[in-house]
Every structure is written in C-alpha cells, then in structure tokens.
Amino acid sequence: LDAMLRAAGGGLIVLHDDARNAIPKLAAQLGVEAVYVNHDYEPHAVARDLAVQQALQSDGRILCTFKDQVIFEKSEVLTGAGKPFSVFTPYKNAWLKRMSEQAVTECRVQFDGKLGNPQALSQPMPTLQALGFERTNLSEMKIPTGSSGAVKLLDEFSERIGQYHETRDFPSVRGPSYLSVHLRFGTVSIRRLVRLALQVQRADPAAAEGARIWLSELIWRDFYFQILHHHPHVAKQAFRSEYDRISWERGPQADAAFAAWCEARTGYPLVDAAMAQLNHSGYMHNRLRMVTASFLVKDLGIDWRRGEAYFAQHLNDFDLAANNGGWQWASSSGCDAQPWFRIFNPITQSTKFDARGGFIRRYLPQLAGLSDKVIHAPWLASPLELAAAGITLGKDYPYPIVDHASARERTLARYAVVKTQSADGQPSS
C-alpha cells in the first residue's frame, strides 16, 4: 500500500501512539483542516473516535466520518415500526429490498498527492519487529495477503461460487471464499463481493443458488454490525439478559476442561482437529466454529465469553461483531440464536461433515490409521483396531473428557432458568 501511494505522490505515515494523541498532532503538523476516516462500530472504537473528534475541534479542525465496511449500517435497515431488527430473516428481506445497484457501484478515487508537508511522508516504513510483533508459524493456510491477494482469492472463488451452498459445510473441501481476513483488514471491499454475488445470480442460473447463499453470509455480517451498534452491551453481556442468569462451570475442574478445549485435548476428534487448525493457522472453518463453540458451552458448561476471548486472541479474521454474534448464537443467548435445547452432538457433526475423516487426519495425524468408521469416536474402536492403528488411548490420544449424553442433560438443567417451549410445546434436540 505504501508503494502504491508513493507511486501516486503520497505515502503512508505510520505512527505508534494512542489515536487520541497521534491524529490531532499529525493534523496540526500537516496543516489540514479536516481528517477523513470511516466508521467503526465497536464500543471502544466509538469512544476513541469521539475523543479524536473533540481534540480536533478544540484545535479548529473537523473529523469527517463515512460508511465503508458494510453495505447498510446503523439505522439504514429498520422494521416497519422504525425499530432495529433482532431476527435475521426479516432483516435480510428488508436488506435485499433496499439493495440497489447504486449501493454497490464501483467508484474510482483519484489521489492528488496534496498532503501538506512532504517531509512528513519521507519516513521509512517500520518493520513488524519494530512495532513489537514476533514471527509465528501461522502460514499453514497460505492465504495470499494484501489487496492483490484478495483479488487472487476472489477470482479463484468466482469459479466455484456456484457450488458454495453444497461445499461450505465440509472442512476438508475448498468451499469457503477465505476472504474473511481480507474483509477484516479492509484489503477487499464488501461492495465488490456483493457485486459479484448479484452479478452471478443474474447471469448464471446454474450458479445462482451458491451465490444467493454466499450473499446471505455477507448480509449476516451487516446484521451483526447493526446489532453491535444498537445494543453495545452485547460486547460484555448476553443480548437476551435472562441468559446472564445461567450458572456456568467454575473452579479448577472447569479451568482444566477449558485448557483441554484450547489445546485440542477433549478426546472428540472433530473438536480437537478444529482447535488444532485454529492454533496452527489462525483460521477455523465456519461450520467448526459452531461445533467447537457448542461443545465448550453445552458439553463443558463453560461461559461463552471465555471461548469468545480465545477466538479473539487467535483468529486472524477476528471481528468483534461477527465473533460475538457467533458465540452468542451458539450459546443461545443472542438475537435469533440457536434454541437453547438444540445441542450439537460432536460425533454426529463429525460423521456428517467429515465422513471420511480427511480433516481429522490432517490435523490429528496420530489418528490417521483408524478407519473412516471409528475415527470419529476412537474410544469406541476395538482393541484390535486401536493396535492396528498404533494408538494407545490415554497416551497417543485422550479419552473423552466428558460424556456427551450426560453433558446434554446437565445443559438442559442449566438452561432451565430461561426455559421456553418449542412450537409444539415440547423441547427438542
């Protein structure tokens, strides 16, 4: 980005300071009258931008902010009564109704290079090490970086977008777009992605369903941003306050269970393979984010906020709105969430979405010798099968740290404080 800007007569200015201090100081140094930025919806960022605005105003300058990282923001999509939506499907329908070509038209921006004091642009770019970052081994996903990397991924995905609805739930298949990290860092425009989805739906009937489902995923992103804007309490509390009455597991035993979950030692292969993927690559397949979150909350009985924080620390594509929305969905505490009595069975999820065990074998190579039938639940394998695979349970791979059937009963009891009934009057799983 710096090279592109320098070619146009400008360049990046990298400052290592609190924005409340750095931005007003730089504005004064450059002698500008206004600072232009794009909206951020996280509570901390909103407070930060207000402080920057006030500091600029006290110096006779203004802060101009604009929508950028979503298609519709804040109160642009409301119910007929003028209220924010809390259920996704009617929100999506209203979103689609409001959608127009103008909302996603590509705009060319020309840079004139007039940025005040040119000496301020002559700073060398700092290294990552100089900014305090350390090298990691998070290269397994091999996701290309920068705006050019986003274009490469988007071009590749456009060739298989028609199969998205059929492949997106299977972690051993190249189904997702892998563009989430680019959306997170702004190296791809959400408008460009929506344009692609709309164009495919119009031009290619055979690929229209895949494009339609992918567009729904992009709309979920807007949905969670507007939830965060209208209900900032979700950053620390349940969207539905009654779920804050739940008593979560605490103490040494709960801490040990949480550590096993973090370190891919639960004894449930799909859960452990997913956590290994996260720990090794900084990425986790979306279906597995739901499976691992459900396991932590509804099998281990651990507060969803602990899992949310772990994902926030390790996901390269971490976004507060989406991460929080996903965890509250899995814990049933959020808007339009998974019903509290629906509890993912980790073995069923494994046999359904990784039937041949390809994903498990990739991230848990110690189980590679097991058959497709028993790799989903090694403790059910016969002694001969374990011996043939060179596995000693408790040594090469752990026994399950919890019995799913028993955990399910404990979860139903735990959620009794917010118990509701299904349409036919009976809880179901």
Side-chain angles (χ1 to χ4, degrees):
L1 181 60
D2 180 58
M4 291 168 62
L5 289 173
R6 287 183 184 277
L12 285 180
I13 302 175
V14 180
L15 304 174
H16 199 184
D17 193 1
D18 191 298
R20 304 165 201 240
N21 302 322
I23 301 302
K25 182 178 179 181
L26 179 63
Q29 180 185 1
L30 295 176
V32 300
E33 297 177 355
V35 174
Y36 292 79
V37 301
N38 295 320
H39 293 161
D40 198 333
Y41 310 97
E42 300 180 6
H44 174 80
V46 171
R48 174 203 64 203
D49 293 348
L50 178 60
V52 170
Q53 179 185 37
Q54 292 170 341
L56 287 169
Q57 286 178 340
S58 67
D59 203 20
R61 297 179 171 85
I62 60 174
L63 180 71
C64 303
T65 68
F66 299 88
K67 176 179 67 175
D68 176 65
Q69 60 176 317
V70 295
I71 300 297
F72 298 119
E73 65 171 3
K74 299 179 180 178
S75 299
E76 288 190 296
V77 178
L78 297 172
T79 68
K83 303 292 184 181
F85 285 94
S86 60
V87 179
F88 176 69
T89 299
Y91 172 84
K92 180 180 76 171
N93 293 337
W95 190 101
L96 290 169
K97 186 176 181 180
R98 184 176 176 126
M99 170 53 58
S100 67
E101 290 297 326
Q102 186 177 4
V104 292
T105 299
E106 183 175 8
C107 299
R108 295 292 180 181
V109 178
Q110 202 161 18
F111 177 62
D112 63 12
K114 298 176 182 177
L115 288 178
N117 180 7
Q119 295 302 315
L121 302 179
S122 63
Q123 313 167 51
M125 285 292 293
T127 64
L128 290 175
Q129 288 75 16
L131 291 176
F133 289 92
E134 297 178 1
R135 289 190 174 275
T136 73
N137 62 350
L138 300 184
S139 59
E140 188 169 325
M141 293 303 296
K142 296 182 173 60
I143 293 178
T145 59
S147 57
S148 60
V151 170
K152 181 179 178 181
L153 278 176
L154 186 58
D155 288 345
E156 187 270 336
F157 178 65
S158 67
E159 299 296 319
R160 53 186 176 81
I161 190 174
Q163 292 77 49
Y164 177 77
H165 62 300
E166 299 172 338
T167 59
R168 65 182 182 134
D169 283 322
F170 300 91
S172 62
V173 175
R174 193 168 178 81
S177 68
Y178 302 105
L179 285 163
S180 56
V181 69
H182 288 283
L183 282 171
R184 168 65 181 87
F185 286 100
T187 44
V188 71
S189 165
I190 182 63
R191 291 164 293 285
R192 185 170 189 172
L193 305 192
V194 170
R195 278 200 303 274
L196 172 64
L198 294 175
Q199 290 166 0
V200 171
Q201 287 183 75
R202 288 195 305 267
D204 188 352
E209 182 63 8
R212 185 185 70 81
I213 298 299
W214 188 56
L215 178 59
S216 290
E217 294 301 304
L218 299 178
I219 299 173
W220 268 107
R221 184 173 173 274
D222 271 17
F223 178 67
Y224 281 140
F225 271 120
Q226 65 93 26
I227 289 293
L228 183 62
H229 168 74
H230 287 287
H231 308 280
H233 73 276
V234 300
K236 296 182 179 180
Q237 300 167 276
F239 174 84
R240 299 160 65 183
S241 59
E242 65 268 26
Y243 281 79
D244 283 329
R245 300 201 304 265
I246 292 174
S247 295
W248 302 107
E249 298 293 328
R250 303 183 186 280
Q253 187 172 351
D255 291 343
F258 179 68
W261 179 83
C262 294
E263 298 164 11
R265 296 186 288 103
T266 69
Y268 285 88
L270 187 64
V271 173
D272 291 340
M275 295 303 295
Q277 180 185 44
L278 174 63
N279 293 334
H280 292 164
S281 70
Y283 172 84
M284 187 188 289
H285 187 277
N286 188 59
R287 163 61 57 174
L288 302 183
R289 297 187 196 201
M290 293 188 285
V291 172
T292 54
S294 177
F295 186 86
L296 182 72
V297 174
K298 294 184 177 178
D299 278 75
L300 300 182
I302 292 174
D303 192 332
W304 59 269
R305 280 161 281 231
R306 296 186 70 176
E308 180 195 26
Y310 190 82
F311 272 26
Q313 183 182 4
H314 289 81
L315 283 171
N316 286 334
D317 63 6
F318 165 69
D319 220 318
L320 175 60
N323 191 52
N324 179 274
W327 274 94
Q328 294 224 34
W329 182 91
S331 66
S332 304
S333 64
C335 55
D336 202 11
Q338 172 95 315
W340 63 271
F341 48 79
R342 294 192 64 183
I343 302 170
F344 281 155
N345 183 318
I347 303 174
T348 302
Q349 291 288 307
S350 186
T351 57
K352 183 176 182 180
F353 296 111
D354 192 32
R356 301 183 65 180
F359 182 81
I360 292 172
R361 289 186 176 90
R362 177 177 179 180
Y363 287 100
L364 301 178
Q366 66 270 41
L367 301 182
L370 291 174
S371 69
D372 295 353
K373 181 179 180 180
V374 301
I375 195 170
H376 309 285
W379 65 94
L380 298 180
S382 70
L384 286 178
E385 288 175 306
L386 291 171
I391 297 172
T392 300
L393 289 180
K395 178 183 176 184
D396 303 302
Y397 187 71
Y399 285 100
I401 62 172
V402 65
D403 174 69
H404 175 70
S406 300
R408 181 180 180 279
E409 294 305 314
R410 288 194 295 272
T411 292
L412 294 177
R414 177 177 290 111
Y415 275 73
V417 294
V418 290
K419 187 173 183 179
T420 57
Q421 291 184 320
S422 61
D424 61 1
Q426 295 295 323
S428 63
S429 60

